[in-house]
């Protein structure tokens, strides 16, 4: 008798779980359909014509400004010491040819 109640509870849980999954799948399909064919129209352009050129020019301008700032900081900075102090010593050694 006890096994039958446990099995029945499992069946109820299983059918509830499956119904929730199917409901969620239906909601996802409805959302996908709305995104594809909603009131904004299928394949509607996201931005107005000529917007790509404005974005490209603005991006190139900001890259140029960043380059100028980088060069200005490097020009105003102090000269860094050599990270290889042994290089002049090696270059001044006589060569054996």
């Amino acid at each position: 008798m006890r096994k039958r109640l446990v099995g029945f509870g499992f069946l109820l849980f299983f059918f509830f779980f499956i119904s929730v999954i199917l409901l969620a799948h239906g909601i996802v399909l409805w959302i996908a359909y709305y995104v594809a064919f909603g009131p904004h129209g299928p394949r509607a352009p996201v931005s107005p014509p000529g917007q790509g050129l404005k974005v490209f020019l603005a991006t190139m301008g900001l890259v140029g400004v960043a380059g100028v700032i980088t060069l200005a900081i490097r020009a105003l900075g102090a000269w860094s010491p050599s990270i290889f102090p042994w290089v002049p010593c090696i270059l001044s050694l006589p060569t054996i040819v």
Side-chain angles (χ1 to χ4, degrees), residues 33-90:
Y33 182 83
Y34 178 79
V35 168
F37 305 106
H40 48 276
R43 317 285 195 279
V46 178
S47 58
Q51 186 71 20
L53 180 63
K54 290 180 188 178
V55 170
F56 176 75
L57 292 177
T59 303
M60 290 300 110
L62 290 175
V63 168
V65 167
V68 167
I69 290 173
T70 301
L71 290 177
I73 290 173
R74 288 178 61 97
L76 296 175
W79 182 260
S80 64
S82 175
I83 59 172
F84 300 114
W86 45 267
V87 170
C89 300
I90 296 296

